[in-house]
Amino acid sequence: MSRSHQQKVYIPKDVRSNQFITAEIKVTDALLAHYPDFKTCYQTLSRLIFQLGVQEELYNIHVITNDKLPVVRFHTEAYCFPTAEQIVLFYNPDYHEAQRLHSQDDYRARKIRIVCLATGEDIRANSANFHIKVQSFLAKLMPQLPETDLTVKIRDHQHLSYDLFAKAKGNKESYGYKLRSISERYRARTCQLPEGHGSLCYVTVKLPLSRKLKQGLLPENTDDFTPMYQKLEDAFIQAASAKQLNRIAMVANGLTPLVRNSKYDQVDGTDEVQMLGFDPNIDEQQFISHWNGDRLVETVSFTIAAAESDSKEGGLGRYLNRVEEALKSFTSELELDRAREDLIVRFHQHISYHSVK
């Protein structure tokens, strides 16, 4: 097989592409001093944000002032589900638009999160243009804020989601992606990023624990789920190691996994979120495991993070091919029915950087 062919990954044509960008502004005493109360501050700033967003053709914006974490997923209908720590946003970028403030009276936020969701068609092809629009929007917003000593942290999140078992269901059509890092794609489209910006690529899959799967991995009438979790962990490590995938995690504790670069971000967990910290510059194996044999969960989440070297010279295509081969080997051990069951692969690319007012 040629090297150029190895650099491509063939993904089903019905792949879903998502992109959203968050801008986080720290709430300071000096900023709040310009308003009579928290509520007035948040409402005033959100009106300004929505107005400037329309000028930059940003038609789906959420302003979060209750310190909840935004989680974005595709859906044919628009939904917003708040939990104690998260705001789960479902939308279809083809036609859903929104301007919404998520706040809590008499609550002082640590930061104001502006969440800009990409809209329209060809999300991945237009990702650089969307980032430029957000940069222009922030360049207009920051000088209009009453406090001068403010910084904004920008995070650009991009996902490709598809069923690993699509061919087994008769979906034979695929498209060859020569995956490139966000910085490479943006550079080709004259979208400027600051030097030293952080980046992270990884894949997540969620394995539902079906009745059939539990029957195959557990003895009857038991409340000890350790043998099942241990078998899944051993099989996953073996499949990943065979493809030289050294940054992996298994989470089966009911929490939402959140991946961060451990070199730059804190990785403390919360009541709802399981932080996973990987350093893409270290070659040694990094395996993270969170499960409890006394607790049965509905799904098990698996994460495979890319190395820094995977993002260079067409390496992301080779990385995702290795991930797919590892996942196919792993699921073969579990004897999943590929014609009836789905295994959704989510390929994530993130960048982050600080911008000063």
Side-chain angles (χ1 to χ4, degrees):
M1 184 182 294
S2 69
R3 183 177 177 84
S4 64
H5 186 77
Q6 290 176 337
Q7 290 177 353
K8 285 189 175 182
V9 58
Y10 288 85
I11 295 176
K13 278 201 169 181
D14 61 355
V15 61
R16 290 168 177 163
S17 181
N18 277 67
Q19 181 184 15
F20 68 98
I21 298 176
T22 62
E24 301 175 354
I25 302 171
K26 187 176 180 181
V27 176
T28 64
D29 292 337
L31 176 64
L32 292 175
H34 293 275
Y35 305 94
D37 51 47
F38 303 148
K39 183 177 181 180
T40 303
C41 173
Y42 304 149
Q43 290 181 339
T44 302
L45 291 181
S46 64
R47 284 194 294 267
L48 174 62
I49 288 166
F50 297 146
Q51 176 187 352
L52 295 178
V54 170
Q55 293 178 14
E56 296 299 326
E57 300 179 334
L58 301 174
Y59 298 129
N60 200 325
I61 297 181
H62 295 255
V63 178
I64 301 175
T65 61
N66 52 19
D67 289 325
K68 294 187 179 184
L69 177 73
V71 177
V72 179
R73 292 290 183 264
F74 175 92
H75 202 281
T76 53
E77 297 184 53
Y79 293 107
C80 175
F81 294 119
T83 70
E85 297 181 5
Q86 303 172 71
I87 294 178
V88 187
L89 304 171
F90 291 92
Y91 88 116
N92 186 329
D94 285 345
Y95 47 80
H96 287 147
E97 299 176 357
Q99 290 183 335
R100 184 166 178 178
L101 170 64
H102 306 266
S103 63
Q104 182 178 331
D105 290 346
D106 300 323
Y107 175 80
R108 173 172 174 164
R110 295 188 301 274
K111 62 185 71 173
I112 296 172
R113 277 195 178 97
I114 305 169
V115 185
C116 302
L117 307 181
T119 57
E121 300 178 349
D122 299 324
I123 297 298
R124 187 173 179 86
N126 293 317
S127 60
N129 186 48
F130 179 63
H131 195 98
I132 291 172
K133 289 180 179 180
V134 174
Q135 287 179 327
S136 179
F137 155 74
L138 291 171
K140 291 180 178 180
L141 171 65
M142 297 305 286
Q144 297 192 44
L145 298 182
E147 173 56 28
T148 58
D149 188 21
L150 290 174
T151 61
V152 55
K153 182 164 188 178
I154 300 169
R155 299 180 190 268
D156 190 332
H157 307 255
Q158 299 178 30
H159 310 155
L160 290 175
S161 305
Y162 59 95
D163 180 11
L164 185 67
F165 302 152
K167 285 187 178 180
K169 299 179 178 67
N171 301 327
K172 305 293 185 181
E173 287 190 290
S174 63
Y175 180 82
Y177 282 79
K178 187 176 180 181
L179 299 176
R180 292 182 297 167
S181 67
I182 291 178
S183 58
E184 284 185 278
R185 287 189 279 127
Y186 284 13
R187 192 181 305 115
R189 289 168 172 79
T190 63
C191 176
Q192 299 298 320
L193 296 175
E195 292 292 332
H197 63 271
S199 65
L200 193 62
C201 298
Y202 59 94
V203 166
T204 61
V205 297
K206 290 185 177 180
L207 176 69
L209 293 181
S210 65
R211 180 173 54 87
K212 177 184 175 183
L213 184 59
K214 287 182 285 190
Q215 287 176 340
L217 296 175
L218 284 173
E220 294 184 5
N221 302 320
T222 180
D223 291 327
D224 181 10
F225 308 107
T226 299
M228 177 180 66
Y229 293 140
Q230 193 62 62
K231 289 177 184 177
L232 290 174
E233 180 179 299
D234 293 343
F236 178 57
I237 292 175
Q238 182 177 356
S241 298
K243 297 300 176 181
Q244 292 77 51
L245 298 165
N246 298 325
R247 298 157 187 82
I248 59 176
M250 170 179 160
V251 176
N253 57 8
L255 302 183
T256 301
L258 185 65
V259 181
R260 289 287 183 261
N261 187 323
S262 60
K263 185 177 179 180
Y264 300 105
D265 295 291
Q266 294 182 346
V267 291
D268 296 331
T270 69
D271 291 340
E272 292 187 7
V273 174
Q274 182 64 67
M275 301 295 290
L276 304 176
F278 297 102
D279 189 338
N281 296 292
I282 297 177
D283 292 331
E284 291 79 8
Q285 186 183 59
Q286 302 171 55
F287 173 60
I288 304 170
S289 179
H290 294 283
W291 53 265
N292 188 330
D294 296 333
R295 181 180 181 185
L296 178 63
V297 297
E298 295 179 358
T299 60
V300 180
S301 175
F302 298 94
T303 301
I304 303 175
E308 177 68 23
S309 58
D310 290 326
S311 298
K312 299 176 180 177
E313 299 178 358
L316 284 176
R318 294 193 296 273
Y319 155 77
L320 192 50
N321 277 320
R322 284 158 48 215
V323 169
E324 285 195 356
E325 291 168 2
L327 291 174
K328 289 174 181 177
S329 173
F330 170 58
T331 53
S332 293
E333 292 290 319
L334 305 179
E335 299 181 352
L336 298 183
D337 186 346
R338 300 186 178 190
R340 295 179 179 272
E341 300 181 59
D342 293 345
L343 191 72
I344 303 301
V345 174
R346 286 192 172 90
F347 170 65
H348 300 250
Q349 289 182 278
H350 294 181
I351 60 169
S352 61
Y353 58 90
H354 283 90
S355 178
V356 181
K357 178 177 175 179

